[in-house]
Amino acid sequence: LYAMRGPTFPPHPHAGFMVATYILPESKVGFINQDSLGTRNRIAPGALHVTVAGRGVLHEEQPEIDGDLAEGFQIWIDLPESEREID
């Protein structure tokens, strides 16, 4: 479980695993998610976003409004060896 009020996860690499980000329904704001593949979207309170990073991606998330509290959690799932090099 995390609670953030400002940029906390600057661009960082992900590879060989999947990350599921869930923003709690009672969170005041959602997250802005973006990556080096061109994905940019809002993860609203109560929503789930999944990033699959096989071969690799640069990724970042931050509260959509700096200073407002965003609450959620992440589950990291290791990809099977056969899927670690997928695009």
Side-chain angles (χ1 to χ4, degrees):
L1 182 65
Y2 55 78
M4 298 186 308
R5 292 188 185 276
T8 304
F9 298 123
H12 56 280
H14 283 236
F17 58 91
M18 177 174 75
V19 178
T21 301
Y22 179 70
I23 304 300
L24 298 174
E26 59 271 14
S27 181
K28 184 170 182 180
V29 297
F31 263 21
I32 299 299
N33 171 79
Q34 51 192 9
D35 64 39
S36 58
L37 301 175
T39 304
R40 181 170 173 27
N41 62 314
R42 175 180 184 250
I43 309 171
L48 175 70
H49 176 81
V50 175
T51 298
V52 177
R55 195 171 296 167
V57 65
L58 286 176
H59 161 84
E60 71 178 305
E61 292 174 328
Q62 59 189 7
E64 63 185 323
I65 301 172
D66 195 31
D68 282 349
L69 187 61
E71 298 178 282
F73 62 87
Q74 291 184 323
I75 298 172
W76 294 38
I77 302 162
D78 199 23
L79 290 173
E81 190 68 34
S82 63
E83 295 182 26
R84 289 190 179 190
E85 291 297 318
I86 62 173
D87 290 333

